[in-house]
């Protein structure tokens, strides 16, 4: 960021730095909010991280989209997914894609969100095992797909987003993400196969499960 005062002149250095700082305000503010959120994320408190990032969204309204604002929505959506606030995760992922339609990570976020919302349908109506109870709750299940048709639709959305992520991954800023994408694509196909079995669509279920095997064994 240019300054018309020399930084190496002790008399003007402080003023020069003040001239330079406004251009850094938005990025430094974004780093401040993201760092706070990450501290709670790493402490396994996604609900708190989500609240911080929602506040960041309000405070950083003047952050231009062209300067990487999709990153804010990616992490907001990630926190929402971990908190199993599915609608908020979907909103954030779609907002990230509205800024950058080729953002692989946003497609992955949406794929994982739809897959998780779909798969929780299949534990409805029965007592959770100890392992299940350790990673989910009645509240989470209440926010999951409500019917077989809903689970099927969510699974199809998961596959669609992860397929798109797989297509974009080789040209992304971090191509090594592709194996991670394909692993989750295989898991999404597995959930799709399960949904088709519950919907009594057995031939399409077999096709989905074959696709799952193909992704997971590649």
């Amino acid at each position: 960021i240019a300054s018309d005062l020399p930084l190496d002149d002790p008399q003007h250095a402080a003023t020069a730095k003040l001239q330079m700082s406004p251009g850094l305000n938005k990025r430094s503010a974004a780093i401040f909010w993201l760092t706070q959120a990450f501290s709670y994320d790493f402490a396994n408190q996604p609900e708190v991280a989500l609240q911080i990032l929602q506040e960041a969204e309000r405070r950083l309204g003047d952050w231009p989209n062209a300067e990487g604002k999709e990153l804010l929505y990616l992490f907001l959506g990630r926190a929402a997914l971990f908190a199993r606030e599915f609608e908020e995760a979907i909103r954030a992922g779609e907002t990230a894609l509205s800024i950058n339609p080729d953002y692989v990570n946003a497609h992955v976020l949406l794929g994982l969100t739809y897959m998780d919302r779909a798969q929780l349908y299949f534990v409805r109506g029965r007592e959770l095992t100890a392992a299940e109870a350790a990673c989910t709750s009645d509240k989470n299940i209440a926010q999951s797909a409500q019917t077989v048709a809903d689970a099927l639709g969510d699974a199809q959305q998961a596959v669609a987003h992860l397929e798109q992520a797989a297509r974009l991954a080789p040209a992304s800023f971090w191509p090594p993400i592709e194996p991670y994408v394909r692993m989750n694509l295989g898991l999404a196909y597995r959930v799709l196969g399960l949904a088709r079995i519950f919907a009594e669509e057995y031939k399409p279920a077999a096709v989905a499960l074959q696709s799952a095997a193909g992704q997971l064994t590649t």
Side-chain angles (χ1 to χ4, degrees), residues 74 102-109 112 161-162 164-185 215:
L74 173 69
D102 292 335
Y103 193 23
V104 172
N105 298 61
H107 282 292
V108 172
L109 166 66
L112 295 178
H161 279 290
L162 290 164
Q164 180 64 0
R167 285 190 287 269
L168 293 170
S172 72
F173 66 92
W174 193 54
I177 196 175
E178 186 173 4
Y180 175 76
V181 171
R182 293 199 175 278
M183 177 190 73
N184 283 292
L185 178 56
Q215 294 294 333

Side-chain angles (χ1 to χ4, degrees), residues 111-160:
L112 295 178
T113 301
Y114 281 114
M115 177 167 58
D116 196 30
R117 192 167 73 172
Q119 69 185 356
L120 283 181
Y121 169 78
F122 302 108
V123 299
R124 283 178 174 271
R126 65 167 174 79
E127 185 176 351
L128 298 177
T129 66
E132 289 168 342
C135 64
T136 192
S137 67
D138 291 338
K139 177 186 175 184
N140 297 154
I141 294 168
Q143 295 181 121
S144 69
Q146 302 293 303
T147 66
V148 172
D150 291 338
L152 181 57
D154 281 347
Q156 289 171 321
Q157 286 274 24
V159 167

